[in-house]
Amino acid sequence: MRVLLHANDLAVYDGREEVARHERVVGRGGSRLVLDHYLEALMRKPGAFPGSTPLEQAKAAGKFTPIHDKWWAAACAAHGEAAGTRALIEVLLPARHMEHDHVVNGLAAAHRAGALTADAVALEARKAAQGETTETSARTGAPRDESSATVTSLADWKLSHLPPDTRPLPSVAHYDQLLHQRHGRTAGEKEGS
């Protein structure tokens, strides 16, 4: 491992591959906590999430947006405080592997449609990544039609993207042979007696 300390950040390399990059803390005794590093622990203790230092730092850095807050409040109202917070953490966990803008667009689309599950947000974020949505208001301020928000169920989406099944239908004709092989046994006799 090799660490390079720059003026504004530090980068960690494993060979030639960058494995981590963090903002540099300039003050003495300061700390920079990354919300992503605490999600698994916060999943077990969702009551520690509101007001936590990593959450406040994520809000200050612009990584936790008002759209996150709006979706979280709606999820808490629908499912209760603990379950709503867990649902938000379930949204943030797969967001590690998605672009931030796609996740925000997915949260906005899911919130408009009233879909308060992590699956719905993940699906809408993937649709945003694929360019299937026209969510531009977050960047341009353009008005959007609130009534046109639709969220596809994850199961329906998966089924609609399956390749066609070209296998022939199964036959049960060979089971008919078993019915004809009774060999004169009565119902009470066991095989081999």
Side-chain angles (χ1 to χ4, degrees), residues 56-80:
E56 295 306 319
Q57 288 182 358
K59 284 181 178 181
K63 298 293 183 188
F64 195 90
T65 65
I67 293 173
H68 285 84
D69 269 330
K70 197 185 292 188
W71 190 90
W72 184 18
C76 286
H79 306 298

Side-chain angles (χ1 to χ4, degrees), residues 25-185:
V25 178
V26 273
R28 281 180 82 124
S31 64
R32 173 74 54 198
L33 302 178
V34 180
L35 180 60
D36 188 49
H37 296 172
Y38 295 88
L39 292 176
E40 285 85 3
L42 291 169
M43 180 67 95
R44 284 184 250 119
K45 299 272 188 184
F49 190 72
S52 66
T53 303
L55 176 61
E56 295 306 319
Q57 288 182 358
K59 284 181 178 181
K63 298 293 183 188
F64 195 90
T65 65
I67 293 173
H68 285 84
D69 269 330
K70 197 185 292 188
W71 190 90
W72 184 18
C76 286
H79 306 298
E81 190 73 29
T85 301
R86 280 192 184 99
L88 176 67
I89 294 170
E90 287 174 5
V91 167
L92 296 174
L93 283 168
R96 295 171 169 170
H97 309 289
M98 298 180 196
E99 293 289 327
H100 180 71
D101 289 343
H102 298 154
V103 174
V104 172
N105 288 341
L107 279 165
H111 183 263
R112 281 194 314 276
L116 303 173
T117 65
D119 284 345
V121 174
L123 179 62
E124 291 300 315
R126 279 190 228 113
K127 284 168 62 177
Q130 293 172 352
E132 293 178 9
T133 62
T134 57
E135 180 68 40
T136 58
S137 61
R139 286 183 225 105
T140 64
R144 58 181 179 253
D145 182 13
E146 295 288 327
S147 64
S148 68
T150 59
V151 175
T152 308
S153 122
L154 187 58
D156 291 343
W157 185 84
K158 285 180 178 178
L159 288 174
S160 69
H161 286 76
L162 286 175
D165 189 3
T166 58
R167 298 176 295 180
L169 290 174
S171 172
V172 293
H174 58 280
Y175 290 109
D176 290 341
Q177 296 172 5
L178 297 174
L179 295 174
H180 298 297
Q181 295 179 359
R182 301 202 82 176
H183 300 295
R185 289 192 299 265

